[in-house]
Structures are given as structure tokens and as C-alpha cells.
Amino acid sequence: MKQMRPLSITGGTIVTPGGLRDAALRCADGAIVEGDAQDGDDLIDAKGKLVVPGVVDLGVFAIDKPAFHFGGITRAALMPDQSPPLDHPARVRFMAQSGKPDLWVHPLAAATQGLDGAQLAEIALMREAGARAIATGRKWIADSGAMLRLLQYAAMLDMVVVTHAEDGGIAGKAAATAGEMATRLGLPSAPKQAETLALARDMALAEMSGARVHARQVTTRAGCELVRQAKARGVNITAGVTPAHFMLSDIAMGDYRTFTRLSPPLREEDDRHAVIEAIGDGTIDVIASGHDPRGPEDKNLPFADAAPGMAGAETLLAMTLTLVRDGVIDMVRAFDLLARNPARLLGVPAGSLEVGLEADIALLDPEAPWVVDSREMAAAAGNTPFDRQPVQGRVTALWKGGVAIDV
């Protein structure tokens, strides 16, 4: 899509990296430009609304445009766990074009062939085909030699490696975190040290190689502390989390509801509070949806047999806004986590309402109430752990490159 006429949004409060400001925002030729509204511009009155950057969702497992648009997502980084995996340049090129014309899809190149954790894939060729980062997929690479080679190669290419921080040898097929709740429910479980061991190994290799590593989900107190310490000594690591791990603990699994069957599994209440602290103090850099719609064939099973994953795109923004209302972060920090930081990791000119960047823009009513309803979600499947939960915050208008998109 090409922006035909300049767009000016007036009367709203713009969320910028420097703070909130009441001013007009103008864009032309798909980019944000300086200056006030001019004759001939398309005019939008944003009175009472926040003007925010489109969300950059770092690490989705399916392209689900209606759900993304509902949630204010204009760019989605697609995990390589597809069928077949994104381990070949032609597949990456196809997926990079798949969102057009109303969504940017940024494929993440599979780190290894077939995502088997052994032989490195053709990463440089996939970068040329449109891959914006490298990812190990749903699994941790157990072979430390293979991981070191990957990180050394990624450092040469200046590409971020998105990792799954969970030692598969310890986690196995666990459906829960070892502890009181797993014991009470009789579920196969694994100790939370599966996360810290994986993080510690990957951080050590990142130091050796000088590579940039993004731990896609850090969900435990010990894991957050490891990231905090690594950053303090200069390791080039960033960390992410999904709303489930700061909104819910393993108590939510008490009725065996498989919408709470996630990977990594929900943690204990103390870990949930630790994740919130890590978001507040800057240890966590990205909040992403982990969008993974799963139908009844995957979820209408015994808890331990159900596929992990949640439909998260529609609730990502509203759940992040709970942290703003609770005083954990401010609105500027919220959009650093949702848009600016992930855009920087992917190396795309978006994620912030700054002159020269692409005009991916949303109007947000931060107080608009609604109720999450799995039966009425726009996603391909409604497997949300937040079913029936009242929330606040809704996107009322969305632009991709200055062109309006239906929400």
C-alpha cells in the first residue's frame, strides 16, 4: 500500500521516547515528517486518545491479521517453527511477503536445519531473503559446540539470536513447574532451574562470541537475576516475556484448564512478582504476545497432553497497560517494551513516533473497557488464558505506513 495523501492527526497526546506531548503528528509518503497540518491533508481528530506507535510483536508462531490489527500490531516477527521450518531462503522470502499489503512480517531464520539443534542453516542467505534475526525455535540448542558456532556466525553477520531459555534435558515433556501446585494436580513437572541453566550457558557463550542474544521468555526470579547480573558486566543480552507470566501464576492451572498450558509453564507466585520487578527496573526489554492459536484438537485433551501455547495478540496491549495503571511502568516505557525495543532488535525503522521513521501509528483509548471472550476473538483460535477477564485499553484506529487499516 502507498500513502496517497499526507495524514495529520491532531488533538491527541503523542507517546514519544522523550515523554507525552500534546501536539499534531503529520506523515507523508509513508513516513513521519515535521510540521503542522497543511491544506490537502487527511485530518484525524484524536481528542481524548493517545497517539502511539504500532506494536512490533517479537516472536509469533502464526500470522493472524485480524487478531494483530485488533491488538494494534503493525509488525510481527515470525518464529521459524512453521511447516516446513524457515530454514531455507525461499521460505523466508515467501513469509516476508505474506503480510502484504496491511502487515509487515519479519521472518526469523531457523538457527539449524530442521530446527534439530545440530547443523547450522544457511543464515546469511536467509538474511538476504528477508530474515531479520535468527531463532532457535521452541527448543533450546543442547549442543554447546553448535550454539557457539551459531553465535560466532551471528556476531559476524550482526544478527540477534532469539533463544528459548529452557534446558530440554531437564524440562522434558513437563506440563508444569515443580512445586506445590504440580504435586497437587499430579502433573508431570520440571524444576525451574531448567531456565537458569539454559540462560547461564547461553550467556557464557555470548560473552565468548560477542554475539547479541535475546532470551525470548525469562520467567523466574533466578532467571531475571541472571540477566540483571549479565547486563551489569556488559553481556550483550536482552530479555523478553509474555503477559501470561506477569499476570498469572501456576495457581491458574488449578481447574486443569488447558488454555493455561504454556511453554515455559506458568511459574510460582514469587516468580510472577519477580518478573514484574524485572519489567519495572529495566531487566526485561520486550513484552511480546507469543501468539500461538491452538484449536480444539490441540486443547481439548488432558492437561499434560494438550499442546502448549496461547492466542495472545489481541490481549498483549491491554495486559501491558495493567502495568501502567499499577504504577510499575509509565506509558513511555510501555511502548519501549511493545514497539521501540523490538524494532531496534530487528533493525527496522519503526516502533517510535520520530521524524523519518515509518508511519506505523495507532490511536489508543487507554480507558476503554472490554471483556476478553475466547468465543468472539478475531484470532484463528481463542485459546487465551485470560478468558472472561475484564480489561481496559483498546485500539480505535490503525495506520500502516500512513494508510488506514480496519480494526
Side-chain angles (χ1 to χ4, degrees), residues 309-371:
M310 68 178 186
E314 290 164 80
T315 55
L316 171 61
L317 180 52
M319 294 304 164
T320 303
L321 291 178
T322 65
L323 298 172
V324 178
R325 285 190 290 274
D326 290 344
V328 177
I329 55 175
D330 61 16
M331 195 64 74
V332 173
R333 168 79 172 139
F335 282 92
D336 283 348
L337 290 157
L338 291 169
R340 190 176 182 218
N341 292 346
R344 283 179 167 181
L345 287 171
L346 294 169
V348 295
S352 183
L353 300 182
E354 300 177 71
V355 171
L357 298 186
E358 295 198 25
D360 298 352
I361 306 165
L363 290 192
L364 171 65
D365 183 344
E367 305 301 327
W370 55 287
V371 176

Side-chain angles (χ1 to χ4, degrees), residues 220-246:
T220 64
R221 179 173 292 278
C224 291
E225 184 57 29
L226 276 177
V227 173
R228 194 175 287 119
Q229 292 172 0
K231 286 185 171 185
R233 67 176 187 267
V235 180
N236 205 339
I237 185 166
T238 52
V241 75
T242 64
H245 286 96
F246 64 76

